[in-house]
Each structure stands twice: as C-alpha cells, then as structure tokens.
Amino acid sequence: MVLWDLDGTIQDSESLAKEGTRHGFRTVLGRVPTSVELAQLVGRPVPVVYKEWFGDELAQRILEVGTRFYEERAHKIPIFLGIADVLSRLKATSVMGVVSSKRRGHVLRELESQQLLALFDVIVAQEDTARHKPDPAPLLLAAQRLGVPTKDSVYIGDQPTDILAAAAAGMRSIAALWSDNRVSRFEGAPPTAIAHAPSDVVAVLSQMTHHMG
C-alpha cells in the first residue's frame, strides 16, 4: 500500500494556503501572521492550531474568512510536474490512499479538480481521527480501512510530521523533496528513503519492495 500526503507532495498549495492565512489574520486581527506562526501551521490541522492560539470564537472567525478566500481559488492549485504520471503508473500495481490534515471536503474537491480522485482507494482527512500527524492515528486508520498490514505500507510526505507519523505507525517512509529540497529538515525525523522528484518515486518503491521481500 502506498499512502500519500496531499499538500506539498501531490499539489503545490503552500502559497495559496499562506495567502488565505494572511487574509484571515488581516481581516479579523488587523495584522499579518509572523513567519514563526506560518511555520507552525505547516503539517498540522489549522483549526486545531488556531484554537490553541486564540480560543474557539476568534479562531472560528479567522478560519471562516481565510477558508472562504482559499476555497474561491482552490481550483487553480497546481499539481507538481510529473506527479499525475507517477500516480497512474503506481495505480496499476498498488493500493493507494491519501492521508491529509486538511478537511475532507477540500481534499475531495481538489483531487477531483485535477482528475486524480479515482486513483485512490481510501481518503483519510482531518475529521476522521481525533489525533493528527505526527501521531500515527490517521495512517493506522488508512491501513485498517484497506486491510493492509502497516509493515507492507509506505507513506510519502514532504514534512517531518509525515515521516514521524509513518515511523510511529510501523510504516516505511519516503521524504518528498520536490517542494523544498533541504534534506536537513529531516534530521530529527529520518525517512526510510528520499525522492528529489516525483519521477524518483517508482524506482525508490521498487528498491523498498525488493528489500522488504
């Protein structure tokens, strides 16, 4: 089983996500988020982080404004060059899924807009688990729904939280470096393997399968 993160791995949504965050902050708080705040939002569910920072009511207002901004433009999010070909090739031989910290509606609409949704056998999104990456719960749920042992599963993601979640779930991992090529980011969360471009993934998975055998 091959599981994929969505943002920063399949699609290049970071710039739009940041624009939406800035719009929400500017509209509700009268300021823009700091670089530290933006960094802390990567790889975690935004509503959870907002509630930690601002409390329920204010968090909800910022989220609603930022989400509206994002949704109006989400159909324009580009996928990474070569990713569609890799997904199509792997679909012929692998069970595949997406595990994302994003809300289910966003995941489904964005994959559908790129005509990728039909390639996946399971989608695990923010609402499906109480705990989120780096906790292994979302990955374990995907494996459970597909009836695949975690030892036979690989998770591909662009953030240390993805790699930590895979390790905690007993899965192998591939660090997707095509959105940010700094390997140093993974020093505290070493992946099983790395891929510098989507086109590397097929060969990396082949090597993993050989070693697992």
Side-chain angles (χ1 to χ4, degrees), residues 85-159:
D85 178 60
V86 169
L87 291 171
S88 296
R89 289 174 66 188
L90 290 176
K91 177 63 177 172
T93 57
S94 305
V95 175
M96 290 204 301
V98 167
V99 178
S100 173
S101 297
K102 183 177 263 179
R103 291 186 70 81
R104 173 171 290 273
H106 291 302
V107 175
L108 296 178
R109 281 193 299 273
E110 290 162 25
L111 287 173
E112 185 62 46
S113 73
Q114 297 289 353
Q115 300 178 313
L116 298 177
L117 185 58
L119 296 174
F120 298 104
D121 304 287
V122 69
I123 305 290
V124 173
Q126 185 187 119
E127 303 96 315
D128 292 313
T129 57
R131 298 186 305 278
H132 306 95
K133 299 179 293 185
D135 191 279
L139 299 183
L140 293 172
L141 180 61
Q144 178 189 331
R145 285 181 174 174
L146 291 175
V148 178
T150 57
K151 66 181 179 63
D152 298 328
S153 306
V154 179
Y155 188 47
I156 303 171
D158 68 306
Q159 294 296 323

Side-chain angles (χ1 to χ4, degrees), residues 39-59:
Q40 289 176 6
L41 288 168
V42 176
R44 293 187 65 203
V46 172
V48 173
V49 181
Y50 278 4
K51 284 181 181 179
E52 290 173 2
W53 291 350
F54 304 116
D56 287 357
E57 186 180 345
L58 195 55

Side-chain angles (χ1 to χ4, degrees), residues 85-87 89-90 174 197-207:
D85 178 60
V86 169
L87 291 171
R89 289 174 66 188
L90 290 176
I174 299 175
S199 56
D200 296 337
V201 170
V202 175
V204 171
L205 284 171
S206 178
Q207 289 178 334

